[in-house]
Amino acid sequence: MARSSSRRAPGSPAGEPGNGEEGNRRTELIRAAARLFREKGYDATTIRDIANAVGMRSGSPFYHFKSKQDMLRAVMSEGLQQALAALEEVAARPAPPRDKFRGLIRAHLATILEPSADFIPVLLYEWRALDQESRAEVIAVKDRYEAIWQNCLRELKKAGLLRRDGKMERLLMFGALNWIAQWYKPGGGLSIDQIADQALEFFLCPARTK
Amino acid sequence: MARSSSRRAPGSPAGEPGNGEEGNRRTELIRAAARLFREKGYDATTIRDIANAVGMRSGSPFYHFKSKQDMLRAVMSEGLQQALAALEEVAARPAPPRDKFRGLIRAHLATILEPSADFIPVLLYEWRALDQESRAEVIAVKDRYEAIWQNCLRELKKAGLLRRDGKMERLLMFGALNWIAQWYKPGGGLSIDQIADQALEFFLCPARTK
DNA sequence: CCTACCGATCGGTAGG
DNA sequence: CCTACCGATCGGTAGG
């Protein structure tokens, strides 16, 4: 029952009357937590940091979350669900393998590189801070996320655009893409789409790349 | 002056008489710190954890290091210097571009995957925990480490084994390789050399890969 | 390198 | 959602 508040659209404006208020405060807290967890790490972020970021006092976040761990779980779980939804939308659109692959790369890079897209970087780099019990919930969604990629790799191989389509290749690609979050600065030299194109060219076989 | 103790060989046995004792205790502390920083993160690791790991009481590490930050700096800085030495040894041996590239990959993977090789993973994943003042010292060594790779990429391109040899390609490769530290479990299915060969095949152009 | 300790800060709670 | 607070723990130090 307490979970049903997460059904509300996360981006809806705060000015509206009715039961939207509570969900908006919760969403504000999750966003602030995601940003701080990414910038300073889970352990270096205090409840007081998060509360201050949304104009609350130190005890008040516990009205919305039962613990700091629960905030981390929410950041990772809800962030990954949004990322999966975006990826599924791309995967559902019919397209040749190479175009679909580029779409997946773009969606993934948007998820980890766009300003205020802190959720998945937190998932990637704060995983060990998540309690053992909460991990299964996230892993279940991650499996679906990875399956979409593995399907795409299979199609690419069938089309002769990739030499191997094993788990190893998927992990090498994920590493290359996820690492970008470590050095990319928004507003720098390259746009997300330009980076996506360069990664695409790096991953695929040159013979039929055009 | 205080730094001169780091000249001592880090692996020398502890049983010997003379001035070797102090350096060995310091080395034990750095190793324990590296392992704990990697497992739990810098902020989640306490001085007491590190002291206990080598059989000391909580105040004693401060006889060897002036602060917890100083231990992190030592882990990163001395770890990277060792990694650079290993990489330079490979780079100095004359070999065709493809073989040299495989040698670099193997050296790098050994540095991040071998049991008790915790130093560079700490450098990679705890960077933000390092004080601003200590970063320059590490960056200077990192620049030399990266220059070796960039040189090798240039030779690979000249030999027609690589399409592009820019900074972007180096970063994509580093990401793919460094990410392996996130999922690799020693004693699992693949050896480090087998992983190196698969990565090599993934990175290079297929036409002349054999 | 140990004993004994300190000030600061942390996650979390009671009661409203 | 705030006020006021608590027990626990932390990095670090003095003195030996």
Side-chain angles (χ1 to χ4, degrees):
Chain A
M1 278 296 176
R3 288 279 180 72
S4 66
S5 66
S6 66
R7 264 188 237 145
R8 219 170 282 123
S12 58
E16 278 163 344
N19 61 6
E21 291 292 329
E22 278 183 31
N24 282 330
R25 291 303 267 165
R26 185 181 185 278
T27 300
E28 283 177 53
L29 279 169
I30 292 189
R31 287 196 177 151
R35 183 174 54 81
L36 288 161
F37 289 164
R38 179 181 193 174
E39 274 176 23
K40 322 201 322 179
Y42 175 77
D43 290 298
T45 300
T46 69
I47 292 290
R48 285 158 177 83
D49 291 333
I50 299 168
N52 285 342
V54 301
M56 285 180 183
R57 300 309 187 91
S58 69
S60 303
F62 294 103
Y63 175 77
H64 297 276
F65 297 91
K66 68 179 208 292
S67 67
K68 191 184 169 187
Q69 257 300 309
D70 192 40
M71 300 192 70
L72 180 64
R73 188 204 51 72
V75 166
M76 291 186 178
S77 183
E78 298 181 19
L80 184 53
Q81 277 172 41
Q82 288 175 32
L84 176 61
L87 201 72
E88 277 174 339
E89 204 186 301
V90 173
R93 253 194 305 267
R98 189 175 187 278
D99 292 337
K100 183 165 288 189
F101 188 46
R102 179 167 50 198
L104 294 184
I105 293 175
R106 283 183 179 180
H108 187 72
L109 289 185
T111 288
I112 64 172
L113 299 185
E114 251 167 28
S116 81
D118 300 306
F119 294 77
I120 303 304
V122 170
L123 169 62
L124 295 175
Y125 296 108
E126 298 296 318
W127 180 252
R128 75 183 151 203
L130 189 67
D131 271 353
Q132 204 67 41
E133 308 98 67
S134 305
R135 293 189 183 181
E137 173 186 337
V138 181
I139 288 175
V141 184
K142 198 162 71 169
D143 286 344
R144 296 176 57 193
Y145 196 89
E146 291 172 351
I148 292 178
W149 285 90
Q150 206 74 60
N151 278 341
C152 186
L153 295 195
R154 210 184 49 230
E155 291 175 24
L156 288 168
K157 194 196 172 194
K158 241 187 271 178
L161 292 167
L162 205 61
R163 267 181 283 174
R164 307 183 79 249
D165 65 345
K167 192 178 168 187
M168 170 72 75
E169 284 69 34
R170 196 198 73 225
L171 287 166
L172 289 171
M173 289 183 191
F174 267 32
L177 295 178
N178 290 338
W179 194 251
I180 299 174
Q182 301 262 23
W183 51 265
Y184 177 75
K185 295 283 170 278
L190 291 173
S191 72
I192 291 179
D193 280 357
Q194 285 174 319
I195 294 178
D197 287 341
Q198 293 218 33
L200 185 76
E201 194 191 349
F202 181 73
F203 292 152
L204 295 184
C205 293
R208 301 163 67 168
T209 205
K210 191 60 185 299
Chain B
M1 278 296 175
R3 285 283 179 70
S4 65
S5 66
S6 66
R7 265 189 237 143
R8 220 170 281 123
S12 58
E16 278 163 343
N19 62 7
E21 290 293 328
E22 277 182 31
N24 283 328
R25 292 303 267 164
R26 185 180 184 280
T27 301
E28 284 177 52
L29 279 169
I30 292 190
R31 287 198 177 149
R35 182 173 55 80
L36 288 161
F37 289 164
R38 179 181 193 174
E39 274 177 23
K40 321 199 326 177
Y42 175 77
D43 290 298
T45 300
T46 70
I47 292 289
R48 285 158 178 85
D49 291 333
I50 299 168
N52 285 342
V54 301
M56 284 180 184
R57 298 310 186 90
S58 69
S60 303
F62 294 103
Y63 175 76
H64 297 276
F65 297 91
K66 68 179 209 294
S67 67
K68 190 183 171 189
Q69 257 301 308
D70 192 40
M71 301 192 70
L72 180 64
R73 188 203 52 73
V75 166
M76 291 186 178
S77 183
E78 297 182 19
L80 183 54
Q81 277 172 42
Q82 287 174 34
L84 175 62
L87 201 74
E88 278 175 338
E89 204 186 301
V90 173
R93 252 195 305 268
R98 190 175 188 276
D99 292 336
K100 183 165 288 189
F101 188 46
R102 179 166 50 199
L104 294 184
I105 293 176
R106 282 183 179 180
H108 188 73
L109 290 184
T111 287
I112 64 172
L113 299 184
E114 251 166 28
S116 81
D118 300 307
F119 293 77
I120 304 304
V122 170
L123 169 62
L124 295 175
Y125 295 109
E126 297 296 319
W127 180 253
R128 76 183 151 204
L130 189 68
D131 271 355
Q132 203 68 41
E133 307 99 67
S134 306
R135 292 189 184 182
E137 173 185 337
V138 181
I139 287 175
V141 184
K142 198 161 71 169
D143 286 345
R144 296 176 56 193
Y145 196 89
E146 292 172 351
I148 292 178
W149 285 90
Q150 206 75 59
N151 278 340
C152 186
L153 295 195
R154 210 184 49 229
E155 290 176 25
L156 287 168
K157 195 196 171 193
K158 243 187 268 179
L161 292 166
L162 204 62
R163 267 181 284 174
R164 307 184 79 248
D165 65 346
K167 192 178 167 188
M168 170 72 74
E169 283 69 34
R170 196 198 73 224
L171 287 165
L172 290 171
M173 289 183 190
F174 268 31
L177 295 178
N178 290 339
W179 194 250
I180 300 175
Q182 300 263 24
W183 52 263
Y184 176 75
K185 295 283 172 278
L190 291 174
S191 72
I192 291 179
D193 280 358
Q194 285 174 320
I195 294 178
D197 286 342
Q198 293 218 32
L200 185 76
E201 193 189 350
F202 181 72
F203 291 153
L204 294 185
C205 292
R208 302 164 67 169
T209 205
K210 191 58 181 302

